Amino acid sequence: AGSYTVLITNNTGCTTISAPVKVTVNNLPGAGISYSGSTAFCTGDSIILSAPSGSNYSYQWLKYGNPIANATGITYAAKSTGKYKVTVTNTVSGCSKTTGTATSITVNNKPAATISPSGTSNICLGASLILSANTGSNLTYKWLLNNTIINGATSANYTANQAGAYNVRVYSNSGCSKLSPTTTVNLISCKNGIINSDSQVKIYPNPSKGDFTFDFSSMNNQLTSVTIYDVTGRSVHKFITDEQ
């Protein structure tokens, strides 16, 4: 910056000096990026990137060197993986500056989180049900009962013997986690051994994993209609017999 003139001399030794020209050098605005927290986070989260403030400043945020539509504020909430810069312009002087080193953001995916019961979620008192979470590389687990972490339940499978609402939180090696939908386990009262109905029909074993024996030996070959219901009251099988 300053006032510049030029002194011109010809070969006769005569000189003349030009009128002064004033040069003004305007400072470039700052274009650094500041943030709080980690630049690596999980899907659904974000990080606030901040440009420096200044009088008469305008902003344009860039991702991989390309302008981000409508990203013209002093801050920008980055939600996806990429390399971010900002161009800061002094609207009075027209001077602008773009961040030199990009800020790298890494967004890690959350793992899947599901529960697969080994059988019906209605189990007899004293019985148990194996709940299996989805498996995968470098996954860890925390099981919950009624929204409370179960101490020591950190494997892919959990043996449930209490009624309640079960969830599993699955963690990836990036630190991201996801909570599964709820699986509700109900404990019901079951009769053991042989069920006698009017001392004519015997059904065993009970409880059963699916195979029952119906004994009509006392029916004297009478025509018999049988309907089987599950614990929810749904009819699952019907048959008619007139033999033992």
Side-chain angles (χ1 to χ4, degrees):
S3 181
Y4 291 83
T5 58
V6 60
L7 179 67
I8 303 174
T9 303
N10 66 12
N11 58 0
T12 65
C14 296
T15 63
T16 186
I17 191 168
S18 69
V21 174
K22 185 178 181 180
V23 174
T24 301
V25 178
N26 296 300
N27 292 325
L28 292 174
I33 296 176
S34 60
Y35 54 87
S36 178
S38 175
T39 55
F41 49 87
C42 305
T43 302
D45 295 333
S46 63
I47 188 171
I48 302 298
L49 306 177
S50 299
S53 61
S55 180
N56 302 310
Y57 279 9
S58 65
Y59 307 89
Q60 176 61 63
W61 290 89
L62 305 99
K63 180 179 179 181
Y64 294 122
N66 300 311
I68 303 171
N70 302 316
T72 56
I74 190 172
T75 61
Y76 178 72
K79 300 178 181 179
S80 60
T81 296
K83 295 182 179 295
Y84 292 85
K85 294 185 177 183
V86 64
T87 296
V88 183
T89 301
N90 186 318
T91 57
V92 174
S93 67
C95 296
S96 64
K97 184 178 181 181
T98 299
T99 310
T101 302
T103 298
S104 295
I105 303 296
T106 301
V107 179
N108 297 302
N109 292 325
K110 293 181 179 181
T114 60
I115 296 177
S116 299
S118 60
T120 176
S121 57
N122 295 306
I123 60 176
C124 299
L125 293 171
S128 60
L129 175 68
I130 297 177
L131 304 177
S132 299
N134 54 290
T135 58
S137 178
N138 298 313
L139 297 180
T140 56
Y141 309 88
K142 286 185 180 179
W143 288 89
L144 300 91
L145 172 58
N146 299 328
N147 297 318
T148 300
I149 293 176
I150 304 170
N151 291 332
T154 57
S155 67
N157 298 320
Y158 180 74
T159 302
N161 54 19
Q162 298 182 56
Y166 287 85
N167 301 90
V168 64
R169 183 171 289 278
V170 182
Y171 296 82
S172 67
N173 59 355
S174 67
C176 295
S177 69
K178 187 175 183 180
L179 187 67
S180 72
T182 298
T183 294
T184 301
V185 174
N186 301 305
L187 297 185
I188 59 175
S189 179
C190 302
K191 293 183 179 180
N192 295 317
I194 297 175
I195 299 176
N196 294 294
S197 175
D198 299 329
S199 299
Q200 293 181 321
V201 179
K202 298 178 181 179
I203 306 170
Y204 55 88
N206 186 14
S208 167
K209 293 184 178 180
D211 294 327
F212 293 88
T213 296
F214 289 78
D215 184 351
F216 300 95
S217 59
S218 300
M219 297 293 291
N220 297 321
N221 296 329
Q222 298 180 48
L223 186 66
T224 304
S225 174
V226 178
T227 302
I228 302 174
Y229 299 89
D230 66 14
V231 293
T232 67
R234 180 173 60 98
S235 173
V236 295
H237 188 60
K238 294 181 179 181
F239 65 90
I240 298 175
T241 180
D242 59 359
E243 298 180 357
Q244 179 174 329

